[in-house]
Amino acid sequence: MSNQHQAPPKLASRLLDWFLNEEFAEEIAGDLEEKHYRLLSAGSKFKADKNYWFQVINYIRPFAIRRYNSKYSKATIMIKNYLFVAFRNLSKHKFHTSINILSLAIGIAACLVIYLFISDEKAFDSQHSRKDNLYRLCEIQSFPGTNTQKVALSMPGMGPTFLADFPEVKSYTRYFARRNWLWTKGDNRFKVDVTARVDSTFLKLFDFPLISGDRETVLNEPNNILVTEKLAKTIFGSIDIIGETLKLDDESFKIAGILENVPETSHMQFDIMMSMLSITRENPDFNSEFGSNYLNTYLELVPGANLSSMAEKYPEYLVRNTGNEEVNDYYKLFLQPLSEVHLNSMDIEHDYHNYRKFNGSYLEIFTLVGIFIIIIAAVNFMNLTTARSSARAKEVGVRKSVGAMRNQLFWQFVTESIVLALIALLFAVIIDVISVPFLNNLIGRTLSMLSLLDSTTVILAVIAMTLFLGVIAGLYPSIYLSSFKTVQVLKGIEKSGKKSIFRSSLIVTQFSMVLAMIVATLVVLQQLNFMKSKDIGFDKDHILLVDMNQTANDKFDVMKQELLKSSSVLGVTASGQRLGNNFHQWGFKAAVDTGIVNVTPSNVLVEFDYLDVYGIELIAGRGFSKDYAKDDGLAFVINESFAKELGYEDPIGQSVGHSWYPNDSLGTIIGVTKDFNFNSLHYKVNTLSMVVHSEWNYDEMSIKLSPENLQAGISDVERIWEEMVPGYPLTYSFLDEHFEELYTSDKQMSSVISIMAVLSILIGSLGLFGLSAISVERRIKEIGIRKVLGAQHSQLLVLISKNFAWLILISFLVAAPITYYFLAEWLDSYAFRVSLNPLMFVAGGLATFIIAMLTIAYHTLKASSTNPIKSLRYE
Amino acid sequence: MSENRLGELEEVLMLIVGILEEKAYALNITEEYEAQADRKVAIGAVHTTLNRLEKKGFLTSEMGGATAERGGRRKRIYSITASGHRALANVRDFRLTLWKQFPAFAEGKLKFVLA
């Protein structure tokens, strides 16, 4: 009967044996086997086997399952015991425990902050329900004589024609925003930060909430406007103002809606919203206007629209609408998903309405840094626990000999590490609650630990991650410790004499990361410092920028004379655009041997004294002067790059002009300046032409103040402005502040990286500190004997430090090439950058080495200066 | 479920235990149930119920009767306790009272074929 072939399936009966409660094991196994043979004798073996499996699986019921642990104890009692033992062990070894908790807490705290930062950045523009189908229309422009550039601008005619020509486009809105417009209420004037004109579809595409007003129709009237809650309160002191009017110049606009304040996490920021109808009513051709790019266009596509098949039709679309056969040589269109506008626009220029634009790739760096830190902290835990194994070996031995199972010991150690991780989490939260406000200050954010409480998923995820960390960190030590053989351990056979390759490689991993972070910090700081101190070719300090209106332009010359009378004012000039961005590109023509060439450099409208006030250096010719009548409109000062581009042997005196000048009445080049960085250092210096047109309006006045009397200078400017331009409030800023803003993203990244580097060193050192304590403790007898035999202090120091020193050297070899590669890639994103100096690596390595040696010095010094009597007394 | 009430399956299984007498162990009870009720059921399901009935004190069991076809393992033989008998009688009385109050049945309008 019981031949092998006919026996029940082995796997199934094993499974049964494994889970069955012993109390029922005999009868059930018997029943099932009997059933099996009954079915066998009735026929098919397959049927019998199948049934056996069926029955086994159906015995997985609470009553039949083996009670875990033995019949003397219940699982809950054991867990209580694990917790009890864990707390006892943790409080018994306070030094070890506090190092562990501290390093884990710092690690978790750092990760939480990184999470807050990243989720704040990712929250940008995510409040719109149609966000997945919204795109911003962008262009890649490659005009002759200028660098190829991506721009966020588009032409007024593009929105309507996209809707008409592409079935994929469901709707569009244009966004045409202007800064510092003067709105009036009765006799009161208010300079409004951003006034945006948008199409009537705007509030359908974007979910900016309204406090009052009908979002469906409010933008359908040309004279309707919406104001934000904040502005309403500033102007009216109330938000109950529907139907009130505000005036712009002489035209009245009716307030037909109140917008909730624009959230911090929106790339568009505005205070007043007007309907695009206010333009098209007066200029119906606006909707078919092609030629200049000066506004933003947003498209809503149908779900699942195929972007690449749309892109194939752009060339034909452009030719048809612009009527220019060659338009595709200059323009390439592309759609940028709304979700990328905030984080993926660093290479996009003329991006004037992108609030707090941030370099999204930095978020990946932050994530990596967070992972590094948590690994460094987890390694500490593993190392310290396994290193202390000899101390706990006896405990394991005794427990085993009184009947502890291996898995019980395993769970005991895992419980210990979970308890530790949870305590660390508690500390981490406390650390963050205290430190986040300081951090906000440093990096200009409004991060809040409370935002973690908004979603239970996040809370659960944080706790789950902590538990996971506890398990992962405790896994290896638990397996290792619970594997000790009872007899060996109790007999006192030391296992620890062997070097632990595992532990060493963990230290190498840890210190490679520490090293990478130190070197990265050094290089990042070096690059920032470089950008701060690089000679950008003009003087940006103590320049006051004053916003100019029509009156200020009309009275510019008189005002300039008045201002120059003040002893605190060193120079006054004006320009059409502010330094620190790319300047607008206009068509430009130049006469060469073969005729006329058309190029498109950057252009800026300047006043006669511009070059002097800004201290821009000429390398040939002269600057603008009122003494020459032709200098007003017919004289051009170009930069070195543009001179090279034009290829004249001697550029001075060559015939050039704006593209709209007739070929027979061009102006001349009167001077060439050295290249100066009018754009941020992320970009190369573009070709540039400067021109004076005294009849055009300037945008901003630049007033150079004497550094000694800044305050006096400002009050002089205020006084004169008040006299000359009454009714238009003075708004000013400093140019150097504007330049600081250009590098905000970089600075914030470097702050975060520096903080994290310091933390990682701290955590790494804490680990080394603990490890060296353990290794010294273990070798205390060896040190004693060596001292008795005459070893010198210094010899002992070398002896103990040697191992750690080797590990750090190896870390350096591992970390240096990888770090080099990544840093080189990062630096690539700057047109002007420091070269990667190997010295930085050496410095980083040395710093790590010195910190490590100092960390372990405490214990080595203590050990080597102990009287050998103390350590040898007991043997 | 109240401690001294019987569920449908419990009632049926108790009856089968009563029918099978000294042959009442989990496997047999299952097969008998399958045969009588014409329904397939896992031994584990029956065993759970038997175990529960034993806890309630309606059944008692003892080990015995090892045979070769079950690898020399003993079986658990179930038998009904005094309180088990009482519980069964209660169920039966309760049902009969209900049937008697059922007018259609009492007046003989409903025909039952009694096998």
Side-chain angles (χ1 to χ4, degrees), chain A residues 48 120 225 273 329 428 460 493 870:
Chain A
D120 181 53
I225 56 169
M273 190 178 283
D329 294 346
L460 288 179
I493 296 170
K870 279 189 183 149

Side-chain angles (χ1 to χ4, degrees), chain B residues 37-54:
Chain B
D38 197 19
R39 246 158 60 185
K40 191 146 169 62
V41 69
I43 306 174
V46 170
H47 205 158
T48 319
T49 316
L50 292 172
N51 188 54
R52 189 165 60 234
L53 286 167
E54 192 173 3

Side-chain angles (χ1 to χ4, degrees), chain A residues 150-334:
Chain A
K150 286 186 183 175
V151 302
L153 299 174
S154 42
M155 306 177 193
M158 283 182 172
T161 47
F162 254 79
L163 180 64
D165 291 5
F166 293 91
E168 293 93 338
V169 178
K170 199 165 149 193
S171 183
Y172 74 93
T173 182
R174 288 164 295 185
Y175 182 82
F176 184 22
R178 283 288 176 264
R179 285 178 201 284
N180 288 330
W181 273 5
L182 200 66
W183 288 82
T184 55
K185 176 200 160 212
D187 291 333
N188 294 328
R189 292 148 192 273
F190 299 92
K191 203 181 263 181
V192 172
D193 223 13
V194 179
T195 305
R197 277 162 297 185
V198 298
D199 282 297
S200 59
T201 45
F202 186 85
L203 289 172
K204 297 191 185 73
L205 263 59
F206 296 100
D207 296 349
F208 290 105
L210 258 57
I211 295 175
S212 50
D214 176 11
R215 64 186 305 126
E216 298 294 325
T217 58
V218 68
L219 288 166
N220 291 348
E221 294 294 324
N223 278 57
N224 277 359
I225 56 169
L226 296 114
V227 299
T228 57
E229 186 185 351
K230 200 169 106 200
L231 190 72
K233 283 186 177 152
T234 319
I235 298 183
F236 294 92
S238 143
I239 55 165
D240 193 19
I241 52 166
I242 297 287
E244 299 270 355
T245 53
L246 282 179
K247 275 185 157 181
L248 181 66
D249 295 329
D250 286 328
E251 202 175 347
S252 291
F253 289 87
K254 193 181 92 188
I255 298 175
I258 310 291
L259 287 154
E260 268 182 33
N261 289 334
V262 182
E264 180 71 11
T265 51
S266 164
H267 81 273
M268 286 181 260
Q269 295 281 330
F270 43 80
D271 304 283
I272 292 191
M273 190 178 283
M274 299 169 68
S275 172
M276 200 62 86
L277 294 171
S278 60
I279 299 180
T280 49
R281 176 180 50 175
E282 261 138 51
N283 174 15
D285 292 342
F286 185 76
N287 283 339
S288 49
E289 199 179 299
F290 280 82
S292 298
N293 300 283
Y294 53 86
L295 46 67
N296 301 111
T297 305
Y298 296 88
L299 302 175
E300 186 197 0
L301 302 189
V302 295
N306 186 342
L307 290 187
S308 52
S309 80
M310 274 180 84
E312 282 167 23
K313 291 183 266 177
Y314 293 157
E316 183 268 334
Y317 161 85
L318 280 174
V319 171
R320 182 157 41 82
N321 284 292
T322 60
N324 179 347
E325 290 294 326
E326 283 152 19
V327 65
N328 287 302
D329 294 346
Y330 312 130
Y331 287 108
K332 237 191 196 144
L333 302 177
F334 72 98

Side-chain angles (χ1 to χ4, degrees), chain A residues 1 23-35 37-38 51 54-55 58-59 61 63 67, chain B residues 25-28 31 34 40-45 47-48 51 63 69-71 73-76 78:
Chain A
M1 258 288 184
E23 200 187 337
F24 299 104
E26 184 178 355
E27 44 173 314
I28 292 173
D31 278 4
L32 294 196
E33 195 167 329
E34 196 177 335
K35 172 85 182 171
Y37 288 123
R38 281 188 198 175
N51 184 268
F54 168 78
Q55 301 293 1
N58 266 288
Y59 256 109
R61 286 160 192 273
F63 90 98
R67 296 285 172 270
Chain B
Y25 61 99
L27 171 62
N28 268 357
E31 294 201 332
E34 286 182 336
K40 191 146 169 62
V41 69
I43 306 174
H47 205 158
T48 319
N51 188 54
M63 303 295 287
E69 63 265 28
R70 39 192 295 126
R73 297 187 187 87
R74 292 175 299 162
K75 355 176 151 151
R76 182 180 296 271
Y78 289 91

